[in-house]
Amino acid sequence: MNSRQERKDFAGSRPMPAFGRIIGWFIEATQLKNPDSYDRSSPGLNSALQALTKRTADTVYAGEMVTEKSKREITEALAACLVSHPSCHFGNAKEDDLAEQLRLLWAKYEEVSGRSTTSPRPQEIVRVLIRHATVELAIRAGGLAWLDGDPAADEEFPAWSADEALGKVLREALEVSFKTRDEAVAKLNQRAHGNSPGESEVDRWFDELDIPAPNHIRHWDMISSTATSTAGAVGGRNRLFRTFVGRRIWLAARGVAPAEMLAEITGTYCRIKRSIFNCFSKETAGRDEALRQRVLALVVTGRITDPRMAHQLLGDQSDPLWRRHVAAAMDIGGAPTAGF
């Protein structure tokens, strides 16, 4: 294939989106290539941000076929950004190891994607992918909720999936952090250093559910977590960051997932997230370093290695299809219990 159009046509022939497009959605959801997402800069982070914004990266996000060199460059940049991000808890991970895990995931996904081109039921492949993505996200969300001390982990559906629930979360966060919108403008302006939100912008956050800029989310989370002892009422540390990442993913998913799957997706997501959170919460009253490292490993790999947790997760799923997808995320005794 010599022409760019041929590469585009080949990538577009598969019913599953190219992994490069998924990377693009993930970067958009987490705002990883936005410098305002970070609380400090470094030569390594600056280099990674440049790699994620160059023309080669745009080719990846478009879903075109790219060279192994380009894949390595993108995964190394992603790893550097994840390790540097103040709200992602990847700070203890080794960049090289994280980049290698991303490349392995890319290769496995493309293998499955290639097989899907011969499927007589491409729409069912999309459903399979959506279910598996839900499981992968929910497992990591449960670990992050525990790390952040999120008391909202027992919710029946995600706040980010319903306008009314999201509005309630924002109003609670406003009450804890600022009391009034005018005070929100004033306090965030003190931290913004030239990138201040105006009154109309803050009004849109609450009235129209516009998503704030990454630096305002980060500063709001910091103020919320330290404002009063009642900050846990809005979901522990980094609650707004996690909420708005979920909101961006949800807005994108609604345009891809069949409408009849949406309630199924949100319900299963919360059930898995709650199981992960509760399993870790029952292990110890404190948060010792050994347990924290186990949770971080789960967030990085998305793989269940604890037999008791595996038993709990499978027991919570009554639908055989969801049980298969949950089982595919388990790695007990060094061997996966099921394939993708």
Side-chain angles (χ1 to χ4, degrees):
M1 296 186 182
N2 297 318
S3 73
R4 183 173 182 179
Q5 186 59 47
E6 286 178 322
R7 295 196 301 271
K8 283 185 176 181
D9 291 343
F10 181 80
S13 67
R14 300 178 178 184
M16 293 170 58
F19 193 73
R21 292 190 64 192
I22 292 177
I23 289 176
W25 293 337
F26 172 74
I27 290 174
E28 174 62 26
T30 55
Q31 294 288 286
L32 274 190
K33 65 179 181 180
N34 190 329
D36 289 338
S37 294
Y38 305 88
D39 55 5
R40 60 178 60 89
S41 63
S42 68
L45 175 59
N46 292 338
S47 177
L49 291 174
Q50 290 176 1
L52 293 182
T53 55
K54 63 191 301 187
R55 182 171 298 179
T56 303
D58 290 337
T59 301
V60 172
Y61 308 149
E64 297 181 26
M65 297 180 64
V66 294
T67 64
E68 290 301 317
K69 178 181 177 181
S70 295
K71 292 180 181 179
R72 178 174 293 276
E73 184 177 36
I74 289 294
T75 53
E76 289 176 351
L78 276 174
C81 289
L82 287 170
V83 169
S84 299
H85 199 288
S87 303
C88 287
H89 293 285
F90 286 96
N92 289 347
K94 296 181 179 179
E95 288 185 21
D96 289 345
D97 292 345
L98 187 53
E100 179 61 23
Q101 289 173 0
L102 290 170
R103 285 193 291 274
L104 289 174
L105 180 61
W106 197 332
K108 291 178 180 178
Y109 180 94
E110 291 298 339
E111 179 183 352
V112 174
S113 176
R115 292 202 299 267
S116 73
T117 58
T118 60
S119 171
R121 296 182 296 175
Q123 184 58 35
E124 187 58 31
I125 293 293
V126 174
R127 292 173 182 267
V128 169
L129 176 61
I130 290 171
R131 290 192 185 99
H132 197 75
T134 299
V135 172
E136 294 274 355
L137 290 171
I139 288 173
R140 291 172 169 87
L144 288 171
W146 186 88
L147 288 168
D148 285 331
D150 184 356
D154 61 349
E155 60 191 2
E156 293 299 322
F157 64 92
W160 39 255
S161 68
D163 290 355
E164 183 177 352
L166 178 58
K168 181 180 179 182
V169 167
L170 296 180
R171 289 190 297 273
E172 289 176 347
L174 176 71
E175 175 65 22
V176 167
S177 307
F178 309 115
K179 302 300 182 184
T180 67
R181 298 185 186 188
D182 288 342
E183 187 176 341
V185 173
K187 284 192 175 182
L188 290 173
N189 280 343
Q190 292 174 4
R191 293 172 175 262
H193 303 297
N195 188 13
S196 306
E199 293 181 7
S200 61
E201 181 179 352
V202 171
D203 284 341
R204 289 195 298 273
W205 299 348
F206 297 98
D207 299 335
E208 302 175 26
L209 300 181
D210 280 8
I211 299 178
N215 59 323
H216 300 326
I217 294 173
R218 176 164 47 84
H219 294 151
W220 191 353
D221 265 332
M222 293 171 61
I223 294 170
S224 178
S225 64
T226 59
T228 70
S229 59
T230 63
V234 293
R237 298 176 298 277
N238 302 315
R239 175 70 193 282
L240 293 167
F241 168 75
R242 288 182 283 110
T243 296
F244 286 121
V245 168
R247 182 68 169 179
R248 293 189 189 96
I249 294 174
W250 178 247
L251 293 176
R254 287 193 310 189
V256 177
E260 65 272 17
M261 287 189 70
L262 297 180
E264 177 186 356
I265 289 169
T266 55
T268 305
Y269 171 91
C270 284
R271 194 159 53 246
I272 295 172
K273 175 186 173 184
R274 183 166 56 249
S275 293
I276 297 291
F277 181 91
N278 289 338
C279 283
F280 284 125
S281 297
K282 291 175 182 177
E283 288 202 30
T284 177
R287 279 175 163 74
D288 59 36
E289 185 58 25
L291 178 57
R292 184 174 181 275
Q293 290 300 321
R294 285 179 51 208
V295 181
L296 284 169
L298 176 69
V299 173
V300 172
T301 65
R303 290 296 167 265
I304 306 298
T305 59
D306 185 335
R308 291 172 299 177
M309 183 178 290
H311 178 77
Q312 179 67 49
L313 281 171
L314 288 174
D316 288 342
Q317 309 304 319
S318 58
D319 188 310
L321 286 176
W322 283 108
R323 284 176 62 88
R324 286 183 61 84
H325 285 284
V326 171
M330 295 177 180
D331 188 357
I332 308 299
T337 57
F340 180 77

